[in-house]
Amino acid sequence: MSSSASNEHRGQCARLAACVVALLLWMGFIFFMSANDGDHSQGMSDGVTSVVLSTVWPGYSGMSPDEQAAVVESLSFPVRKVGHFSEYAVLGLLAFATLRQGQVLRSSQAIRTTRKIAPAAAGAVAIAFVYACFDELHQLFVAGRSGQPFDVGVDTAGAFAAVAIAVVVVRMRERRRV
């Protein structure tokens, strides 16, 4: 192996290691968030909702505390589902990047061809789905939380959407190179 090939291989290994570390850290973050009891989790969601409403809705700050609480409560469910979707969109992207980098490392030639993208994309969504199942199971053992099959669907949809966008971006970049 030539010196430049050796350096390229080391760079690919370093990129794969960085992807794996980022993926594992994000999984840890999701686990940590799921370990919060129901009241704390709800309080975080309500706090984020209130901050966003204060920023985007000029009349929100002028409402009475009871009116603000009613608005926040009415948005609680969708905000929590957007949180699930977003967490798993990031997880899907990190899993996709990890699997894609693993493909590049295993290949003796450039693997950046669209026909090779499907296994990494499918694998990333599968990882997100399995982790979502694990996450909901974990929540069964946390006070004030419950495991919801619906949340597994929201989580998987977030991963699928993000991975689908990543696949489109990768394919567009590959077409420009040709």
Side-chain angles (χ1 to χ4, degrees):
M1 189 182 301
S2 72
S3 176
S4 68
S6 178
N7 286 341
E8 182 178 336
H9 182 75
R10 276 195 296 275
Q12 289 173 348
C13 288
R15 284 189 292 278
L16 177 59
C19 288
V20 169
V21 167
L23 177 62
L24 293 175
L25 285 173
W26 193 255
M27 288 174 153
F29 171 76
I30 292 171
F31 184 89
F32 172 78
M33 296 301 286
S34 292
N36 289 309
D37 68 38
D39 290 338
H40 186 259
S41 178
Q42 186 67 50
M44 285 191 304
S45 295
D46 291 350
V48 167
T49 303
S50 186
V51 168
V52 170
L53 287 172
S54 296
T55 304
V56 300
W57 186 1
Y60 179 78
S61 297
M63 293 179 175
S64 72
D66 288 342
E67 290 172 321
Q68 287 180 348
V71 170
V72 168
E73 184 179 331
S74 72
L75 294 174
S76 179
F77 181 79
V79 165
R80 292 177 72 78
K81 298 313 146 194
V82 166
H84 273 267
F85 189 92
S86 301
E87 277 183 338
Y88 279 82
V90 173
L91 181 68
L93 288 175
L94 292 172
F96 178 71
T98 301
L99 295 174
R100 192 80 171 127
Q101 188 59 42
Q103 286 178 319
V104 170
L105 186 60
R106 284 191 308 273
S107 175
S108 60
Q109 56 187 324
I111 192 153
R112 295 186 171 100
T113 59
T114 56
R115 70 182 186 283
K116 299 285 187 177
I117 218 169
V125 174
I127 288 168
F129 170 75
V130 169
Y131 198 75
C133 291
F134 166 76
D135 185 42
E136 293 303 313
L137 178 65
H138 166 231
Q139 288 181 37
L140 292 174
F141 301 98
V142 177
R145 303 291 293 266
S146 61
Q148 301 294 324
F150 180 77
D151 286 348
V152 172
V154 172
D155 298 342
T156 304
F160 179 83
V163 169
I165 291 168
V167 166
V168 168
V169 169
V170 168
R171 286 182 174 169
M172 288 171 44
R173 288 179 59 199
E174 289 171 353
R175 286 187 183 124
R176 285 189 191 135
R177 286 188 195 140
V178 175

